[in-house]
Amino acid sequence: MINKIGLFGKSWILGVAILVLQGCGSTKTLVSADKASVIAKIDLINVVDDKVNVVLDPAAFVTDTVSFFIPKTVPGTYSDDNYGKYVEQFKALDYKGGELKVEKLDDNTWRIINAKDLDKIDYWVNDTYDTEVEVSEPVFSPSGTNILKGKNFMLNLHGFVGYFDELEEIPYSLEISAPDGLEPVTSLVKGVQDVNRPETDIFVANRYFEVIDNPIMYSNPSTETFQVNDIAVTLSVYSPNGHYTAASLKAGMEKMMRGQKAFLGDINSTKHYTIILYLSNMDDNDAKGFGALEHHTSTVVVMPEQISKERLEEAIFDTVAHEFFHIVTPLTVHSNEIQYFDFNDPKMSMHLWMYEGTTEYFANLFQIQQGLISDEDFYERLMEKVERSKTYDDSMSFTLMSKNILEEPYKANYANVYEKGALINMALDINLRELSGGEKGVLWLMKELSKKYGNTKPFEDGKLIDEIVAMTYPQIEEFFKTHVAGETPIDYAVYWNKVGLQTTEQEQSTGYFFDGEVPYIDVDPSNDNAIFVREGIQLNSFFKGLGAKGGDIIKSVDGKMTNLVNIRLLIGQSMNWDPDKEIVLVVQRGDDEVTLTGKVGEPTLDVVKLVPMEGASEQQIKLREAWLRG
């Protein structure tokens, strides 16, 4: 997961860095509300102290005690977020309205005594957006919750609705009372409206997984719907200051998703898809973790409202492109660990190389195959992933990391699923194309797995690789054994050579603090808005020459204390610096304060480019075309 939430960005100086994480969810079918075994009522009208009231009415219990849970972890986040910490005033009530004895076992678990007498439970929920600047490891905003009375409610339902022990598979009915003017957007199935309660929306789910897999956003409606072949896509936008509307973003989103569907072909795992875009105004009580959390037929995207339309579209298109491809995996192809996810004692799958890596690879590959980006753009994206993957442990077994992703040292390597995970799929794709004479690739493989499994049929975690080998080629076993389950880094030069490509190093000019629109510094709002040197990127000659390192907190420049105001002035002044100018940076590096001195020089960056090989053979070029064009 990401430790520092960025505030500098690609679109404007001292803007917002787009940090992207993604996730997964479940499937839905209609169930009658009157058959629900748990009725969950959420009151969005009578908000008190920025909290909402939740009441759960279960069926009768036959045991003396029962445990109630709010999730500790939800699919796609790969972190322990303990959503029960946001629950207050928990009560268990009997049929006469009296309180039953309740023992709180941990942040997320309540044991109810005399459960045979239990009528309902009643509690209040605070939202997570308010606390992001107050805690060291905030809940990632797209999986978080927002309570803004009369204006916006982001209901990631795992933050509001819990489940009873061993009753995760029973139906739920959600009854949500909302203020006039606020409309819900969700992929969750609507139940029959009660004409006597027009302010209450009713939604139904077959099991608890479906409840938390279908976020709901209530806001003043800015919604557009369009058809992509047989998939109805709904785009809903919350923009607090009215900078953006769904209508203003519809055309680009529709073009992008049409390209995705054309790429996927006959994979049809959903008939509807909902994109919920929440734009933050960036104040202390608003979301600051930018990116997305995937659900099987929807995604929640959180971005800054201040970003330019061009950069917003670029960010959400790349993000949603990744999220939408999750309809292939894990929606259609997933293990028992995903199908029967344990929210409070999760057993993780070993196949993040597929759930996130294949998805991220497709999010880039489809753009080259559908003519949305050039070959050069695609090569640049691959090389960026190679460079970023080097910041993680390249010799760590990917399957072992995935299985233990909630623990260190594996947790610290999580973000590599979007870098090396995609590169694993690139190498696998080229291998399959080569072995099949260009006919079969990773997309073909995922279609074959989709036919064998499906929305409700999981695979056994430990058998997937053997199944892939059985349906492809014996050589693929060695690839998985060596580079995915094994600890041997991939030699990417081998794969470049197969498709007639080679790398070349070029020196290019940069700014002192920016490489074009990419910043070398950022802001940590959780640490009093400290200015720090970014980690996980290649630094230019200016920072390297001074001896700066990623993660250094810049305390002062030439004797002046560094803050958000004077760093802007410094960036402006740097545009007129003489190369012979002497500079003094004082940085905090761990527990030490370090003074860095030197000339600013003329900043440059050594960039490795991937380019076509001179004299590539016909066979290499043919394989390259099969790989790039499909």
Side-chain angles (χ1 to χ4, degrees):
M1 302 297 289
I2 293 174
N3 297 317
K4 294 183 177 179
I5 300 174
L7 292 180
F8 290 157
K10 296 174 68 175
S11 61
W12 43 295
I13 291 178
L14 303 185
V16 185
I18 306 304
L19 304 181
V20 178
L21 293 178
Q22 294 85 7
C24 311
S26 178
T27 183
K28 299 180 297 298
T29 56
L30 180 63
V31 61
S32 300
D34 60 2
K35 295 181 180 179
S37 296
V38 176
I39 299 173
K41 300 178 181 180
I42 304 176
D43 185 355
L44 305 182
I45 297 174
N46 300 298
V47 177
V48 178
D49 294 331
D50 202 36
K51 304 177 182 70
V52 301
N53 183 236
V54 179
V55 176
L56 262 70
D57 184 357
F61 290 98
V62 296
T63 56
D64 291 328
T65 63
V66 67
S67 293
F68 177 78
F69 302 91
I70 293 289
K72 173 183 180 181
T73 300
V74 295
T77 56
Y78 309 105
S79 62
D80 293 335
D81 290 315
N82 299 303
Y83 295 94
K85 292 190 299 185
Y86 301 90
V87 170
E88 302 175 5
Q89 303 175 52
F90 186 97
K91 298 177 182 178
L93 304 174
D94 64 22
Y95 293 100
K96 296 180 180 180
E99 288 193 40
L100 297 173
K101 182 180 178 181
V102 176
E103 299 173 349
K104 188 170 184 181
L105 303 184
D106 56 38
D107 284 338
N108 310 292
T109 310
W110 294 259
R111 179 187 290 157
I112 301 166
I113 312 301
N114 296 325
K116 292 178 182 178
D117 297 327
L118 177 64
D119 177 27
K120 58 188 176 181
I121 58 174
D122 185 306
Y123 53 87
W124 289 79
V125 177
N126 198 357
D127 61 338
T128 69
Y129 286 6
D130 288 349
T131 65
E132 287 189 2
V133 298
E134 300 172 3
V135 295
S136 59
E137 294 188 8
V139 173
F140 180 49
S141 300
S143 64
T145 57
N146 190 43
I147 299 171
L148 189 58
K149 184 176 182 179
K151 295 182 179 180
N152 177 273
F153 296 90
M154 178 61 75
L155 305 183
N156 273 304
L157 291 164
H158 49 258
F160 293 89
V161 179
Y163 61 95
F164 294 93
D165 191 22
E166 297 184 357
L167 297 181
E168 301 97 309
E169 299 301 311
I170 65 174
Y172 271 69
S173 173
L174 271 63
E175 301 181 1
I176 303 178
S177 301
D180 288 340
L182 299 191
E183 299 292 336
V185 175
T186 183
S187 287
L188 196 59
V189 175
K190 265 209 165 187
V192 178
Q193 181 69 48
D194 186 343
V195 294
N196 296 316
R197 294 185 295 161
E199 79 286 354
T200 301
D201 297 305
I202 298 177
F203 301 94
V204 291
N206 281 324
R207 61 185 185 128
Y208 182 70
F209 208 140
E210 293 183 10
V211 175
I212 65 100
D213 187 45
N214 291 278
I216 306 173
M217 183 172 74
Y218 276 85
S219 63
N220 290 316
S222 176
T223 303
E224 294 286 332
T225 300
F226 53 89
Q227 199 74 21
V228 177
N229 293 11
D230 57 347
I231 302 175
V233 180
T234 299
L235 170 64
S236 185
V237 177
Y238 172 69
S239 181
N241 297 298
H243 293 177
Y244 294 98
T245 63
S248 68
L249 299 171
K250 174 185 174 182
M253 188 69 70
E254 184 173 1
K255 179 181 178 181
M256 183 269 291
M257 295 191 75
R258 288 191 184 281
Q260 289 186 275
K261 190 64 179 72
F263 172 82
L264 288 177
D266 57 1
I267 293 181
N268 290 302
S269 54
T270 183
K271 296 295 182 183
H272 59 276
Y273 195 84
T274 303
I275 302 165
I276 298 172
L277 174 59
Y278 179 96
L279 297 174
S280 170
N281 62 22
M282 293 293 293
D283 66 26
D284 286 344
N285 296 323
D286 210 346
K288 293 181 177 62
F290 304 120
L293 180 69
E294 171 60 18
H295 303 270
H296 283 161
T297 57
S298 62
T299 185
V300 173
V301 184
V302 178
M303 294 289 172
E305 189 182 40
Q306 298 93 329
I307 195 172
S308 71
K309 182 180 180 182
E310 178 184 7
R311 296 307 178 190
L312 176 63
E313 288 188 326
E314 178 184 344
I316 62 175
F317 292 172
D318 283 346
T319 302
V320 172
H322 176 105
E323 307 309 322
F324 182 71
F325 279 127
H326 276 302
I327 69 172
V328 181
T329 183
L331 173 56
T332 308
V333 183
H334 58 264
S335 69
N336 285 296
E337 286 79 359
I338 300 295
Q339 181 77 11
Y340 306 108
F341 191 86
D342 189 329
F343 305 97
N344 286 73
D345 186 20
K347 308 299 185 295
M348 309 308 289
S349 168
M350 65 175 67
H351 297 298
L352 277 174
W353 70 267
M354 182 177 68
Y355 301 137
E356 299 298 346
T358 302
T359 303
E360 177 66 11
Y361 178 59
F362 282 176
N364 290 277
L365 183 66
F366 100 92
Q367 296 191 55
I368 181 67
Q369 290 197 3
Q370 297 300 311
L372 300 178
I373 61 175
S374 67
D375 292 10
E376 291 73 22
D377 290 335
F378 184 62
Y379 300 155
E380 183 177 352
R381 292 183 181 205
L382 291 178
M383 292 310 299
E384 287 174 351
K385 290 189 177 298
V386 170
E387 289 300 317
R388 288 196 292 263
S389 72
K390 292 177 182 178
T391 64
Y392 302 98
D393 186 349
D394 199 26
S395 63
M396 179 178 285
S397 163
F398 229 74
T399 53
L400 183 64
M401 178 189 78
S402 180
K403 194 71 177 175
N404 299 280
I405 200 65
L406 297 179
E407 305 169 8
E408 296 296 359
Y410 309 102
K411 182 179 179 180
N413 284 267
Y414 165 72
N416 206 18
V417 299
Y418 306 109
E419 313 302 346
K420 187 176 180 179
L423 295 168
I424 286 171
N425 280 270
M426 177 211 71
L428 178 60
D429 201 14
I430 292 174
N431 275 334
L432 289 172
R433 293 287 182 185
E434 181 181 40
L435 292 167
S436 66
E439 294 299 317
K440 299 175 181 178
V442 171
L443 179 58
W444 169 87
L445 174 62
M446 296 311 300
K447 288 183 177 182
E448 291 301 302
L449 289 170
S450 297
K451 293 174 186 176
K452 183 171 184 177
Y453 295 101
N455 294 14
T456 59
K457 183 182 178 182
F459 59 78
E460 291 187 40
D461 212 52
K463 294 183 178 180
L464 178 65
I465 292 175
D466 289 340
E467 292 186 46
I468 290 174
V469 172
M471 65 175 58
T472 57
Y473 306 93
Q475 297 91 325
I476 297 301
E477 181 178 17
E478 186 63 25
F479 173 79
F480 275 102
K481 181 180 179 181
T482 304
H483 301 302
V484 184
E487 300 178 345
T488 303
I490 298 172
D491 183 354
Y492 299 110
V494 171
Y495 293 91
W496 306 147
N497 184 69
K498 287 178 184 290
V499 293
L501 298 175
Q502 64 183 15
T503 58
T504 179
E505 190 169 288
Q506 301 174 7
E507 185 179 80
Q508 65 184 36
S509 297
T510 72
Y512 290 97
F513 297 96
F514 282 79
D515 177 18
E517 296 169 336
V518 178
Y520 292 111
I521 56 176
D522 214 329
V523 174
D524 184 2
S526 67
N527 186 19
D528 197 27
N529 287 334
I531 311 296
F532 65 93
V533 181
R534 287 183 63 193
E535 298 177 274
I537 65 170
Q538 183 184 0
L539 298 176
N540 62 7
S541 61
F542 168 64
F543 282 106
K544 283 184 176 180
L546 291 173
K549 296 182 178 181
D552 284 351
I553 297 174
I554 303 176
K555 306 294 290 185
S556 68
V557 179
D558 289 340
K560 295 182 179 178
M561 299 301 293
T562 305
N563 56 42
L564 276 173
V565 175
N566 60 31
I567 196 67
R568 289 187 174 95
L569 296 174
L570 182 67
I571 291 171
Q573 293 168 359
S574 71
M575 297 177 183
N576 297 313
W577 281 352
D578 186 279
D580 290 327
K581 171 182 167 56
E582 296 282 345
I583 194 170
V584 178
L585 266 65
V586 177
V587 303
Q588 187 76 32
R589 183 175 295 165
D591 295 330
D592 300 324
E593 193 168 89
V594 181
T595 300
L596 308 175
T597 62
K599 293 183 178 181
V600 298
E602 295 182 355
T604 60
L605 183 68
D606 292 329
V607 178
V608 178
K609 297 281 189 179
L610 187 62
V611 298
M613 181 188 301
E614 291 186 13
S617 69
E618 182 179 343
Q619 182 180 0
Q620 289 172 309
I621 295 172
K622 184 177 179 181
L623 182 58
R624 185 201 309 163
E625 286 301 299
W627 169 49
L628 296 180
R629 316 302 167 202

